[in-house]
Amino acid sequence: MVKERDQLLEDLRWAADFDPEDPKLGLQWEDLCSDRISRRHFLRLAIATGALHYLAPLLRPTPAYAQAGAPGGELKAAWGVREFTNLDPAFINQVVQFQITSNVLGGLTHIDAGLVPRPDLAESWEVSADGLTWTFRLRRGVKWHNGDSFTADDVIYTFNRTRDPRAGSLHRSILDPFEKAERLDPFTVRFTLKEPRASLLVKITERSSGRALTIVNRRALEQMGREYTRRPVGTGPFRIAEHRLGERIVLEKFPDYYISDRPKLDRVTIFNIEEPATLASALQSGQVDFLTGNVAIPETIFDRVKAMRDVVISEADDPGFQAIFFNLRKDKQQKIGKATLPTDDLRVRLAMARGMDRDDLIRRALFGRAIPAFGPIPRAQKLYFRDLTASSPQRFDPDQARRLLAEAGYGRGFAIRMVVTPITRRRGEIIADIYKRTLGITIELEVVDFPVQVQRFDQGQFELLQIGSGGDPDPDDSIDDWFWSGAKFNSFGYSNSQVDALNAAQRETVDQAKRVRWVQAAVDLIARDAPCVFLFHGTDSVAFRKNVRGFVHIPALRDLDTVTVR
Amino acid sequence: MQEYIVRRILFALLVMWAVATLVFLMMRAIPGDPVRAFVGFEGDPAVVEQVRRNLGLDRPLPVQYLRWLAALGRGDLGNSIWNRQPVTTLLREALPRTLSLALLSFLVAVSLALPAGIVSAVRRYSLADHTLTVAAFLGLAMPDFWVGIVLIIVFSVFLQVLPAFGYEPLSSGLWPWLSHLILPAVATGTSFAAILARMTRSALLEVLREDYVRTARAKGLEERAVILRHALRNALIPVITVMGIALALLLAGAVIAENVFAIRGVGRLLIEAILNRDYPIVQGTILVIAAIFVCMNLVVDLLYAVINPRIRYV
């Protein structure tokens, strides 16, 4: 009863937190057009239409900081990362890097807060009925930061550069389904595919995470060489005035940006501060007004930041998942010197999935800022996500878990090793503690540096390994990259022909409703086969002073073009 | 003396070559593939191999080694695997930061340590001596990073007189440069100050028992002159040795302050590069640090000769 009341209050608070000036009230058309409407959306409409008018002032958590103030001025921001290693899309290998380039470069499309693709450098597009031909009409009159005019040639150049092995783009295989790219006229581009791709607009042409086709400038690349990766020239709202690697980036308003009243700010200075305590102090001392971690605010300082006066925290679902992977490979003998592991038995894997008290893990390892995961699809992927807390084959049920373990002949538990990195070590210790207490399983941690972990995962040299995925706006990032037999990261030996078939179908369909069904069916199968124990989906968070306004929080991104500072 | 210097310099070059070779081999001996880590969760095996080829890391080790040495001869330390920038550029940016910080920490340490050590020695077992002893132990006991975090909270968050993080080059003005370095220099300098103060104290106590000190006092020299001119000069020999080592250690040891105060110096560059297995950066940085160490040693040895005419190498 109490829980129900709290949930209703929480929903009401959420519903009341919107910008009254926004014609859509902060909702997506998809939310309103679907056949079911969530309680939260219903409440928001009720508040907006005045039905719950008298409640709104009581519920509004902050004086609508989403409303932008006057333009101009400088925002000082701090990011909790060592350096923005590469800003040339071809070499971007971390979410934080495309958080920056999303403010500097352009793509054909750009996702909104609901992860739905919207026009960016393309004004409109058409896809043929068979899903093999995509025609993009490009925006006219777009200028590059170096004064060049943006045309179809830039799109073709970027396409060819990504595909050229000598250019060394990390995202070359993303374009494997493409047959060719053609310039039909200066403002029309046609892509011909070998097989359809449902994720094209979100995963490939997207300006931030879709790095294979984030448009780059040929002249600047040829002039600048390696320097382009420090200070890329783009078509975005801000241009990079200065970048001292590992220290600061200074972004300047690009006056010729195609949206005439953006960006609002004249300048943004972003500092790299890796040490969380210093990061918090920078905000507290007023040296910066905007703070984010390596994606989310570091857990260790979250409460300190939350307690600061005049500081607002914006939270969104982090599009990713974390899991403990089992080694299901056939060549274990030569890889780890053991031909078999207790976890080869499905009952043992399911027992571990069902014996994982995710709430406890989230409370202790993430200070409560995450939601339990029962599959790879994060809640941020609204269209595809389902709450599986009660129905998943991996749902928490310690009695059932112990029964399964006893059936498999491990009633007294067993010992197994898990690979973690110094950064995930603490989480690993908590996982080990939970398994020790609920199932009597002893997990010995192997702490290795990240490069070693990637190598061990890749080559199947592990018994258990804790790893996950981030910056996943599309189901392809969650399933196609991980869980079918030929998946890019499937080095753990999982293979299920039904999953393969469902994945191939969802990957290629142009029918949204069917895609949702197939994705969800695949998730159920994966959870049942338990190639891994799904742990949690993180919470993406940003903190800023109340004088910072108009920030639109796209999960995992930090677009600053709408932000103002007083 | 000249021949001695030439010999020392040749030996220094040999040491540096040995260090370079050792680091080259050690980095490749430890597990962790830089290319695989860099591609991370982005590319498939074909992409990994392509990147490896593009970087020349698919070649046999001797070939890689000789290429690296040849480039070294041209003053080219190669390019970072991770951020693709020339290592010389990265070092050019990092070195001034670390040198500024190390020098300032050194000044903090010396200006605290010498007076404290002298007072402690001259007024042995006085209240001042005991107080300074306790202070020295405290200085040693408090970890640098903790001191740094506390300093930030006091001076940046509460008093708001000094910046909490970052670096400004001298070219933007003396105060911006200095104000960013005061807190990290204090955080790094205090533990060295404690060591130096204890060293100065014991060295001076030993010297004060010497015959020539008694003679100087018997001649009726002022106590100040006895201590500063006669005793301290000899007492400083072991202290200078430690100072030399301290300054060199500060170059690498500043990494803790660099991390806490978000200053991208050599220490941070090196640690990051080791964690990422970024071979070219590790090789180039260690080479430069080795060169600095070797130079320091040379300078210290020459200083001996200046301070004490009896010390002459043959």
Side-chain angles (χ1 to χ4, degrees):
Chain A
M1 191 65 217
V2 171
K3 208 170 165 183
E4 178 61 31
R5 196 192 60 203
D6 287 348
Q7 184 60 49
L8 179 62
L9 268 174
E10 170 92 45
D11 288 348
L12 271 167
R13 277 198 202 99
W14 182 90
D17 184 21
F18 63 91
D19 178 5
E21 303 299 324
D22 180 355
K24 287 195 298 180
L25 312 168
L27 303 178
Q28 302 303 330
W29 293 126
E30 290 72 8
D31 301 336
L32 300 169
C33 302
S34 68
D35 51 355
R36 288 174 47 240
I37 187 156
S38 76
R39 180 159 82 172
R40 284 184 158 195
H41 296 152
F42 172 78
L43 287 171
R44 175 162 295 179
L45 290 169
I47 291 170
T49 51
L52 289 173
H53 179 75
Y54 60 94
L55 273 178
L58 300 176
L59 294 168
R60 192 148 292 183
T62 54
Y65 60 77
Q67 294 176 62
E74 177 180 9
L75 176 71
K76 287 195 184 319
W79 249 254
V81 284
R82 269 183 211 154
E83 64 172 29
F84 299 112
T85 306
N86 284 295
L87 300 177
D88 176 341
F91 306 104
I92 289 181
N93 57 1
Q94 289 170 322
V95 174
V96 287
Q97 295 162 28
F98 62 70
Q99 286 178 346
I100 303 295
T101 56
S102 187
N103 288 292
V104 176
L105 303 171
L108 297 176
T109 56
H110 188 37
I111 47 174
D112 65 10
L115 304 184
V116 176
R118 304 285 176 201
D120 185 19
L121 293 177
E123 264 178 339
S124 62
W125 48 83
E126 283 143 35
V127 55
S128 60
D130 61 4
L132 291 175
T133 312
W134 289 76
T135 312
F136 287 87
R137 303 213 188 295
L138 306 182
R139 201 177 289 280
R140 288 161 192 264
V142 173
K143 281 267 181 279
W144 287 92
H145 298 161
N146 63 0
D148 293 357
S149 294
F150 165 75
T151 66
D153 295 335
D154 296 312
V155 181
I156 304 295
Y157 171 74
T158 302
F159 179 87
N160 291 334
R161 178 181 185 239
T162 304
R163 293 193 92 166
D164 175 9
R166 283 162 313 159
S169 168
L170 307 182
H171 318 294
R172 200 175 81 221
S173 52
I174 301 276
L175 296 185
D176 284 349
F178 285 66
E179 181 79 51
K180 58 178 191 269
E182 299 159 283
R183 167 187 186 272
L184 300 187
D185 67 50
F187 296 99
T188 315
V189 175
R190 186 169 66 200
F191 294 114
T192 311
L193 278 68
K194 298 175 208 153
E195 49 186 58
R197 268 295 177 280
S199 59
L200 187 123
L201 296 172
V202 176
K203 190 172 156 72
I204 305 180
T205 60
E206 209 283 325
R207 96 176 177 206
S208 56
S209 63
R211 290 143 289 167
L213 280 176
T214 301
I215 312 299
V216 290
N217 183 284
R218 176 183 205 150
R219 194 164 68 93
L221 265 165
E222 283 165 1
Q223 274 173 356
M224 298 167 76
R226 291 176 178 273
E227 185 61 19
Y228 193 88
T229 205
R230 242 195 225 236
R231 296 185 293 115
V233 168
T235 55
F238 294 97
R239 62 175 168 218
I240 300 181
E242 184 188 11
H243 183 186
R244 297 192 217 154
L245 202 66
E247 195 165 280
R248 75 181 59 175
I249 290 190
V250 180
L251 304 179
E252 257 173 9
K253 177 189 176 110
F254 177 49
D256 296 331
Y257 185 50
Y258 72 78
I259 301 177
S260 58
D261 63 343
R262 286 191 204 166
K264 309 278 188 200
L265 293 160
D266 290 338
R267 267 167 88 84
V268 181
T269 303
I270 295 168
F271 298 99
N272 296 89
I273 305 178
E274 205 190 351
E275 167 59 46
T278 313
L279 192 65
S281 294
L283 182 68
Q284 205 171 358
S285 66
Q287 278 181 274
V288 301
D289 289 331
F290 185 100
L291 173 158
T292 179
N294 187 349
V295 189
I297 300 167
E299 294 111 13
T300 46
I301 59 166
F302 192 94
D303 290 337
R304 187 180 155 192
V305 170
K306 200 171 177 166
M308 289 178 199
R309 267 187 329 193
D310 299 329
V311 167
V312 178
I313 290 181
S314 168
E315 290 189 317
D317 290 320
D318 188 38
F321 72 90
Q322 290 289 325
I324 303 167
F325 283 90
F326 298 109
N327 190 335
L328 304 172
R329 293 166 68 120
K330 300 278 179 285
D331 59 0
K332 284 202 276 282
Q333 182 63 50
Q334 66 190 79
K335 293 292 183 186
I336 55 172
K338 293 180 183 176
T340 58
L341 288 170
T343 51
D344 293 346
D345 187 328
L346 174 63
R347 289 169 299 186
V348 174
R349 296 202 303 277
L350 275 175
M352 287 184 73
R354 294 200 145 193
M356 173 45 64
D357 186 346
R358 293 165 180 82
D359 290 332
D360 189 35
L361 172 69
I362 290 167
R363 194 172 48 78
R364 288 157 68 195
L366 295 130
F367 300 91
R369 271 170 296 278
I371 62 164
F374 301 97
I377 300 286
R379 193 166 63 180
Q381 293 175 21
K382 287 195 181 88
L383 283 168
Y384 305 92
F385 176 81
R386 280 165 307 158
D387 185 349
L388 300 165
T389 315
S391 61
S392 171
Q394 300 211 351
R395 69 184 177 275
F396 181 52
D397 185 346
D399 295 336
Q400 173 74 9
R402 280 187 285 268
R403 261 199 305 281
L404 281 165
L405 215 50
E407 263 175 48
Y410 291 103
R412 291 158 168 263
F414 55 87
I416 196 161
R417 300 158 65 107
M418 179 163 80
V419 178
V420 291
T421 65
I423 292 170
T424 55
R425 178 193 195 132
R426 193 170 157 276
R427 184 189 301 166
E429 284 166 352
I430 294 164
I431 290 169
D433 175 60
I434 291 173
Y435 278 135
K436 186 82 212 159
R437 281 185 300 113
T438 49
L439 303 177
I441 295 172
T442 307
I443 293 185
E444 187 195 334
L445 295 184
E446 291 181 85
V447 186
V448 299
D449 286 347
F450 178 73
V452 181
Q453 186 191 37
V454 173
Q455 200 174 344
R456 302 262 306 254
F457 182 68
D458 233 31
Q459 298 177 351
Q461 295 167 321
F462 62 91
E463 296 177 9
L464 298 174
L465 190 141
Q466 202 280 296
I467 208 161
S469 187
D472 302 348
D474 188 273
D476 274 11
D477 294 299
S478 318
I479 298 176
D480 185 51
D481 281 353
W482 289 87
F483 292 105
W484 67 285
S485 312
K488 204 158 52 164
F489 310 133
N490 184 353
S491 57
F492 40 94
Y494 174 56
S495 176
N496 175 332
S497 54
Q498 278 175 290
V499 171
D500 293 1
L502 280 167
N503 177 61
Q506 71 80 21
R507 191 169 70 183
E508 297 184 8
T509 183
V510 279
D511 181 334
Q512 183 72 60
K514 279 188 183 147
R515 189 175 191 215
V516 171
R517 267 208 311 281
W518 289 331
V519 164
Q520 292 178 347
V523 168
D524 291 340
L525 283 177
I526 295 164
R528 200 193 61 196
D529 292 341
C532 61
V533 175
F534 290 102
L535 297 173
F536 60 86
H537 306 293
T539 301
D540 180 30
S541 53
V542 185
F544 43 85
R545 294 189 169 278
K546 282 187 181 161
N547 60 349
V548 175
R549 301 177 139 236
F551 175 67
V552 178
H553 197 157
I554 301 170
L557 292 187
R558 306 288 181 261
D559 287 9
L560 299 171
D561 54 335
T562 54
V563 171
T564 62
V565 64
R566 257 205 316 263
Chain B
M1 190 78 183
Q2 266 172 340
E3 194 194 326
Y4 161 69
I5 292 177
V6 170
R7 246 188 312 138
R8 286 292 311 253
I9 288 175
L10 284 176
F11 182 69
L13 286 173
L14 188 73
V15 167
M16 275 160 60
W17 169 80
V19 167
T21 307
L22 203 65
V23 173
F24 181 93
L25 293 172
M26 260 167 52
M27 274 316 282
R28 283 157 176 82
I30 55 174
D33 170 10
V35 177
R36 193 61 204 75
F38 169 62
V39 175
F41 287 110
E42 294 302 337
D44 49 25
V47 170
V48 174
E49 285 327 300
Q50 183 64 51
V51 172
R52 199 185 304 284
R53 258 197 306 282
N54 291 352
L55 288 164
L57 289 171
D58 59 329
R59 313 296 296 266
L61 260 193
V63 174
Q64 286 185 44
Y65 176 68
L66 289 173
R67 275 184 173 184
W68 182 63
L69 274 189
L72 206 58
R74 294 193 305 272
D76 173 8
L77 294 173
N79 299 311
S80 155
I81 293 170
W82 279 68
N83 60 37
R84 310 181 67 246
Q85 302 300 301
V87 175
T88 43
T89 310
L90 295 171
L91 279 169
R92 226 193 352 263
E93 286 171 4
L95 263 174
R97 289 157 177 68
T98 297
L99 286 174
S100 306
L101 179 53
L103 270 170
L104 221 58
S105 308
F106 184 70
L107 282 178
V108 167
V110 171
S111 55
L112 286 175
L114 282 188
I118 293 167
V119 168
S120 282
V122 175
R123 308 241 171 95
R124 190 154 56 142
Y125 303 139
S126 68
L127 181 63
D129 181 22
H130 287 310
T131 311
L132 287 167
T133 303
V134 171
F137 282 129
L138 269 179
L140 271 178
M142 295 187 296
D144 287 357
F145 76 89
W146 182 81
V147 173
I149 288 171
V150 170
L151 286 174
I152 291 175
I153 289 175
V154 173
F155 291 94
S156 309
V157 175
F158 285 114
L159 301 175
Q160 306 213 341
V161 286
L162 290 167
F165 68 92
Y167 174 86
E168 281 294 341
L170 248 175
S171 54
S172 7
L174 182 64
W175 176 243
W177 173 78
L178 199 61
S179 66
H180 281 88
L181 288 172
I182 291 173
L183 296 183
V186 170
T188 317
T190 41
S191 45
F192 277 106
I195 297 169
L196 282 178
R198 301 307 291 164
M199 282 223 51
T200 311
R201 178 181 183 270
S202 54
L204 197 53
L205 281 175
E206 224 161 283
V207 171
L208 284 174
R209 283 199 295 267
E210 297 272 346
D211 289 350
Y212 68 87
V213 173
R214 203 176 47 201
T215 309
R217 282 179 180 152
K219 279 196 315 188
L221 273 185
E222 273 181 53
E223 187 63 9
R224 257 183 68 166
V226 171
I227 287 169
L228 294 181
R229 209 176 313 152
H230 292 268
L232 194 60
R233 243 179 111 161
N234 284 321
L236 278 183
I237 287 184
V239 178
I240 284 182
T241 309
V242 174
M243 278 187 193
I245 295 170
L247 189 50
L249 277 178
L250 278 172
L251 285 176
V255 64
I256 291 168
E258 284 172 8
N259 221 4
V260 171
F261 292 90
I263 297 169
R264 192 181 170 90
V266 175
R268 244 181 98 191
L269 190 68
L270 181 59
I271 301 278
E272 286 160 28
I274 291 173
L275 288 177
N276 291 337
R277 306 291 189 268
D278 199 329
Y279 299 159
I281 298 189
V282 178
Q283 287 157 201
T285 310
I286 290 191
L287 200 60
V288 169
I289 291 177
I292 292 172
F293 260 80
V294 167
C295 291
M296 285 286 172
N297 264 329
L298 200 59
V299 169
V300 167
D301 287 354
L302 296 178
L303 266 181
Y304 284 164
V306 174
I307 287 183
N308 188 344
R310 283 181 313 182
I311 297 179
R312 282 284 183 267
Y313 293 84
V314 184

